[in-house]
């Protein structure tokens, strides 16, 4: 249940409507607070500010109407621009990138600011009293010097929010075209991937973890879906409390259907009730997400590269950018101990054993998946060989360096099937340079 709640919260604040709804609620609270302060005389100090002339009811009403009307119009325009940008990006870069744009904090907070300002202005507007209406005040006559009721503090805050909204609009108009630039998109994915690698595998080293695991009682999936989140903390706590060991048979991002094993109890015993509680430590859904899943981000880079190299698009330079970030991620993975620290602080007696993530798996997932498309482009093929060479230069483990050399050999073999003439000769020369400088160990 904890995994479900944690997952629901993470997805909630990633939804496009979450911050607009939150800002609307906060604006409502702010409006009531400012109105209360105006009605109870807390805003009298504004009468002593010489440069701040008190507003009349008609002027205040007009100003609030303009702010509210313009903000809802701008919010509609912002939403329309966002949908157009999202449609363009998903059709050009791939449908999996739709989530990246919908979760973009710049888009969410921009819309939220306009919605919040609209709600605030509309709430304050209903309290303004014109000269022919009685003042709704519970204070002395000094506060009711002007006929009707004008919430001076609330009006000042509305003006400030309007000024902030103008600044946010300028930011949004610059942010949207910048956000859909392909280099910016790839940089965002690559940076997030590098951060996730460092978080998932915090220790430096060249250990891929044990390849052989003992067998035990299996916990089977009861429905179909992708593993979206694993509550490692809850798993470890239950394993310690009942003195058993859990060996995971899945990673975050794996697809399961009913009857497939999720984990095994490899030490100790576990009751049926406890097995049901262990199942609740896994969240399954209809789609993969980047949470706890570096492979998802690798797949996004690969997808962008494959689309760029497709005959219909034929944009090798976009593929080159994807290859550069794949190389940086591969180099980072090659320098780390690929064992998830699921219990924290590098505990040696952690009762939860994650499914091994060896370096070969990540190389195949990245360079191996894009290899056949790269081989058709002499530009991309040469860059991929250079990227493999640069990645190997930062890796000290001989077996991991050999995997990169092997991937380069596969690319050369694939290129010989797709290229010919001078293009193939240049690729072969680039491979010869790589092989000559490549010194395992």
């Amino acid at each position: 249940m904890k995994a479900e709640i944690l997952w629901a919260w993470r997805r909630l604040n990633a939804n496009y409507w979450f911050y607009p709804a939150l800002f609307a609620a906060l604006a409502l609270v702010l409006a009531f607070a400012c109105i209360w302060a105006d009605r109870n005389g807390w805003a009298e100090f504004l009468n002593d500010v010489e440069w701040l002339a008190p507003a009349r009811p008609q002027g205040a009403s007009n100003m609030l109407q303009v702010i509210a009307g313009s903000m809802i119009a701008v919010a509609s325009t912002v939403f329309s621009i966002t949908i157009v940008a999202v449609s363009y990006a998903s059709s050009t870069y791939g449908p999996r990138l739709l989530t990246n744009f919908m979760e973009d904090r710049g888009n969410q907070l921009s819309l939220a600011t306009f919605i919040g300002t609209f709600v605030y202005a509309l709430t304050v507007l209903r309290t303004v009293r014109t000269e022919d209406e009685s003042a709704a005040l519970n204070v002395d006559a000094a506060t009711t010097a002007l006929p009707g009721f004008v919430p001076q503090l609330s009006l000042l805050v509305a003006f400030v929010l309007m000024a902030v909204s103008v600044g946010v609009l300028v930011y949004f108009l610059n942010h949207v075209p910048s956000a859909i630039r392909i280099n910016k998109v790839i940089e965002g994915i690559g940076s997030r991937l590098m951060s996730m690698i460092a978080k998932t595998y915090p220790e430096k080293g060249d250990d891929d973890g044990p390849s052989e695991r003992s067998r035990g009682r299996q916990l089977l999936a009861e429905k179909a879906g992708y593993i979206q989140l694993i509550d490692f903390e809850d798993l470890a706590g239950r394993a310690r409390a009942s003195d058993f060991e859990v060996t995971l048979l899945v990673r975050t991002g794996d697809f399961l259907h009913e009857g497939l094993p999720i984990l095994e109890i490899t030490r100790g015993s576990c009751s049926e009730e406890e097995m049901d509680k262990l199942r609740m430590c896994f969240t399954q859904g209809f789609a993969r997400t980047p949470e706890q899943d570096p492979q998802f981000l690798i797949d996004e880079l690969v997808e962008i590269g494959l689309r760029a190299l497709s005959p219909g698009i034929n944009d090798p330079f976009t593929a080159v950018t994807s290859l550069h970030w794949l190389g940086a991620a591969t180099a980072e993975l090659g320098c780390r101990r690929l064992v998830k620290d699921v219990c924290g602080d590098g505990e040696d007696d952690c009762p939860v054993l994650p499914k091994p993530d060896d370096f070969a798996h990540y190389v195949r997932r990245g360079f191996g998946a894009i290899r056949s498309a790269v081989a058709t482009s002499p530009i991309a093929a040469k860059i991929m060989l250079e990227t493999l060479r640069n990645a190997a230069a930062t890796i000290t483990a001989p077996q991991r360096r050999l995997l990169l050399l092997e991937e380069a050999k596969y690319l050369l073999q694939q290129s010989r099937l797709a290229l010919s003439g001078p293009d193939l000769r240049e690729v072969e020369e680039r491979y010869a340079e790589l092989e000559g400088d490549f010194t395992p160990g």
Side-chain angles (χ1 to χ4, degrees):
M1 184 61 66
K2 182 181 175 183
E4 295 287 349
I5 295 174
L6 180 61
W7 174 251
W9 168 247
R10 291 185 180 181
R11 299 320 302 164
L12 179 65
N13 60 32
N15 282 322
Y16 190 62
W17 55 264
F18 176 74
Y19 282 101
L22 178 63
F23 275 40
L26 293 177
L28 198 62
V29 173
L30 177 62
F32 285 135
C34 291
I35 292 169
W36 178 88
D38 279 306
R39 284 179 171 170
N40 289 273
W42 290 87
E44 288 187 24
F45 70 94
L46 295 176
N47 296 327
D48 299 328
V49 180
E50 296 181 358
W51 57 268
L52 189 63
R56 292 284 180 176
Q58 187 62 42
S61 178
N62 291 339
M63 177 180 172
L64 291 171
Q65 289 181 41
V66 169
I67 292 176
S70 60
M71 286 303 104
I72 197 63
V74 170
S76 302
T77 304
V78 165
F79 181 75
S80 300
I81 293 174
T82 301
I83 294 301
V84 171
V86 165
S87 300
Y88 167 80
S90 62
S91 61
T92 304
Y93 309 140
R96 265 166 292 278
L97 293 176
L98 178 65
T99 304
N100 297 43
F101 290 96
M102 296 303 291
E103 293 181 359
D104 185 271
R105 287 289 184 265
N107 294 339
Q108 292 178 342
L109 294 177
S110 295
L111 180 62
T113 301
F114 303 133
I115 293 295
T117 303
F118 165 75
V119 171
Y120 179 88
L122 203 62
T123 304
V124 174
L125 177 62
R126 64 180 294 275
T127 65
V128 176
R129 299 290 187 269
T130 58
E131 288 84 346
D132 58 346
E133 295 179 289
S134 60
L137 294 174
N138 297 320
V139 293
D140 55 25
T143 312
T144 61
L146 292 177
F149 171 55
V150 178
Q152 302 291 342
L153 177 61
S154 302
L155 193 64
L156 178 62
V157 173
F159 184 83
V160 172
L161 290 178
M162 182 270 296
V164 171
S165 297
V166 171
V168 170
L169 178 60
V170 174
Y171 160 79
F172 176 80
L173 295 177
N174 174 75
H175 174 73
V176 170
S178 175
I180 62 175
R181 290 176 54 199
I182 186 59
N183 286 351
K184 183 68 174 178
V185 173
I186 297 176
E187 187 270 340
I189 298 172
S191 299
R192 190 173 182 181
L193 174 59
M194 299 289 283
S195 300
M196 185 172 291
I197 290 172
K199 180 180 179 181
T200 306
Y201 309 110
E203 298 181 21
K204 295 286 187 178
D206 57 4
D207 181 16
D208 287 346
S211 57
E212 297 293 332
R213 297 289 178 91
S214 57
R215 309 291 296 182
R217 181 185 177 187
Q218 292 184 340
L219 173 66
L220 304 180
E222 294 183 338
K223 62 179 181 179
Y226 291 95
I227 299 294
Q228 295 178 321
L229 187 71
I230 302 175
D231 190 346
F232 293 109
E233 182 180 350
D234 198 16
L235 275 174
R238 294 185 182 280
R240 288 196 182 97
S242 301
D243 193 25
F244 58 79
E245 185 178 76
V246 175
T247 298
L248 299 184
L249 303 178
V250 296
R251 303 181 183 93
T252 308
D254 288 351
F255 183 85
L256 295 178
H257 56 76
E258 185 178 356
L260 289 180
I262 301 176
L263 56 81
E264 292 180 336
I265 306 299
T266 52
R267 189 190 67 203
S269 60
C270 185
S271 65
E272 286 296 335
E273 181 181 358
E274 192 65 34
M275 292 288 275
D276 290 336
K277 292 180 179 179
L278 290 179
R279 185 178 284 107
M280 290 190 293
C281 295
F282 298 82
T283 301
Q284 282 183 263
F286 69 95
R288 293 171 58 196
T289 68
E291 299 290 341
Q292 300 180 343
D293 187 9
Q295 298 169 118
F296 179 84
L297 299 173
I298 292 176
D299 291 347
E300 284 190 335
L301 292 175
V302 170
E303 181 181 10
I304 292 175
L306 291 174
R307 280 176 170 266
L309 292 171
S310 64
I313 298 178
N314 191 23
D315 180 13
F317 296 102
T318 293
V320 163
T321 306
S322 296
L323 288 170
H324 283 155
W325 281 102
L326 276 176
T330 302
E332 187 70 18
L333 287 164
C335 298
R336 293 190 175 271
R337 181 173 180 263
L338 299 183
V339 178
K340 292 186 178 72
D341 186 17
V342 297
C343 288
D345 301 326
E347 293 185 27
D348 295 329
D349 60 342
C350 183
V352 178
L353 305 178
K355 187 175 182 179
D357 296 325
D358 59 355
F359 185 66
H361 166 78
Y362 282 113
V363 173
R364 289 192 298 267
R365 194 86 182 209
F367 288 114
I370 202 175
R371 183 200 315 129
S372 60
V374 169
T376 63
S377 169
I379 296 175
K382 288 183 287 186
I383 293 298
M384 179 168 164
L385 290 173
E386 180 182 327
T387 301
L388 289 168
R389 179 182 179 183
N390 292 338
T394 63
I395 298 174
T396 58
Q399 68 277 13
R400 292 182 175 181
R401 291 168 57 87
L402 286 173
L403 284 172
L404 297 182
L405 178 59
E406 185 180 56
E407 190 59 45
K409 289 180 180 178
Y410 291 154
L411 175 61
L412 178 62
Q413 294 173 8
Q414 194 76 29
S415 297
R416 285 171 175 163
L417 299 175
L419 302 176
S420 61
D423 288 339
L424 177 59
R425 186 167 61 251
E426 289 179 0
V427 172
E428 290 176 336
E429 290 173 356
R430 187 65 59 90
Y431 174 79
E433 294 175 4
L434 179 149
E435 191 177 33
D437 293 343
F438 210 97
T439 307

